[in-house]
Amino acid sequence: GAGVSQTPSNKVTEKGKYVELRCDPISGHTALYWYRQSLGQGPEFLIYFQGTGAADDSGLPNDRFFAVRPEGSVSTLKIQRTERGDSAVYLCASSSGRGLGTEAFFGQGTRLTVV
Amino acid sequence: AQKITQTQPGMFVQEKEAVTLDCTYDTSDPSYGLFWYKQPSSGEMIFLIYQGSYDQQNATEGRYSLNFQKARKSANLVISASQLGDSAMYFCAMREFNTDKLIFGTGTRLQVFP
């Protein structure tokens, strides 16, 4: 596709359940970022991949959150034992590689609601 | 530590006027890049403008310009000739060379009125 694609666009889940959020970056982009955005706030950094490896996962809030990118393209953010505080929009972005001025392109986000 | 601060939660501007959105940053890396993104109510993040730490001149992109004051660690966005369609959230962001991590400020909500 032409842009970053995130699925699903909306996800409602019950407290305690497991969820997976998918990000399909722009073809050929080696860098991939996950952010969490709560209402009225800025995107909060979660994790950054360069290729298949997580270059920086310092933003993951706890061990319930995990992300993978096994083939260096599609990434999945996994949340175990969801809590109501996990409700937010989860944004994915990709860029063509390292480089200070490299623009990050964002997907439309997945709105996660934990009830 | 890498940090971005946007102290204006909301700003109002009249159509056709100019407006400045503030951004200050903190980093120990001498090499970094600064970005501004726009987020309309639809939720998409739109890249506006970029400034590198070693760039000698302030960046400009159409009606957007970045007032970069390195010694003060500020990177304010100036929007000239505001339009109603400029109403949105605006985020300042920074990427450090060493970490390559892109972090964002809390944003400023700009409202343009006729």
Side-chain angles (χ1 to χ4, degrees), chain B residues 49-52 55 57-61 64-68:
Chain B
I49 196 167
Y50 165 79
Q51 178 87 42
D55 292 345
Q57 293 189 323
N58 287 342
T60 60
E61 289 286 349
Y64 304 108
S65 60
L66 202 152
N67 184 1
F68 181 46

Side-chain angles (χ1 to χ4, degrees), chain B:
Chain B
Q2 189 181 6
K3 187 178 179 180
I4 291 280
T5 302
Q6 294 182 255
T7 57
Q8 305 157 314
M11 291 285 285
F12 288 89
V13 66
Q14 189 166 31
E15 201 177 6
K16 300 180 185 176
E17 297 295 309
V19 63
T20 298
L21 307 183
D22 294 343
C23 172
T24 58
Y25 60 91
D26 193 19
T27 178
S28 56
D29 194 330
S31 185
Y32 52 89
L34 297 155
F35 302 77
W36 278 91
Y37 280 83
K38 172 184 178 181
Q39 188 178 45
S41 56
S42 58
E44 61 190 305
M45 293 286 280
I46 303 167
F47 166 76
L48 296 178
I49 196 167
Y50 165 79
Q51 178 87 42
S53 59
Y54 293 115
D55 292 345
Q56 295 297 311
Q57 293 189 323
N58 287 342
T60 60
E61 289 286 349
R63 295 186 298 110
Y64 304 108
S65 60
L66 202 152
N67 184 1
F68 181 46
Q69 297 187 48
K70 194 170 182 177
R72 297 179 63 182
K73 293 190 174 179
S74 75
N76 299 340
L77 177 70
V78 180
I79 305 175
S80 63
S82 297
Q83 302 172 356
L84 296 178
D86 293 336
S87 295
M89 285 290 290
Y90 288 80
F91 294 100
C92 182
M94 176 173 66
R95 174 188 278 134
E96 290 178 332
F97 176 78
N98 282 331
T99 65
D100 211 31
K101 184 164 73 176
L102 182 65
I103 67 160
F104 286 79
T106 53
T108 296
R109 179 171 298 281
L110 176 66
Q111 295 187 63
V112 182
F113 60 93

Side-chain angles (χ1 to χ4, degrees), chain A residues 11-80:
Chain A
K11 176 71 176 179
V12 180
T13 191
E14 292 182 347
K15 179 175 176 293
K17 298 289 189 183
Y18 167 83
V19 295
E20 289 189 352
L21 311 180
R22 176 187 168 108
C23 174
D24 202 337
I26 292 173
S27 178
H29 279 193
T30 57
L32 186 145
Y33 299 84
W34 281 101
Y35 295 89
R36 178 169 67 177
Q37 187 175 25
S38 301
L39 192 63
Q41 299 296 312
E44 173 193 0
F45 171 82
L46 295 178
I47 187 169
Y48 157 57
F49 288 91
Q50 185 62 246
T52 60
D56 189 327
D57 64 357
S58 62
L60 295 177
N62 52 57
D63 60 6
R64 295 187 298 106
F65 289 75
F66 189 70
V68 295
R69 195 186 185 200
E71 298 178 357
S73 178
V74 171
S75 176
T76 305
L77 178 66
K78 308 180 181 195
I79 310 174
Q80 298 178 319

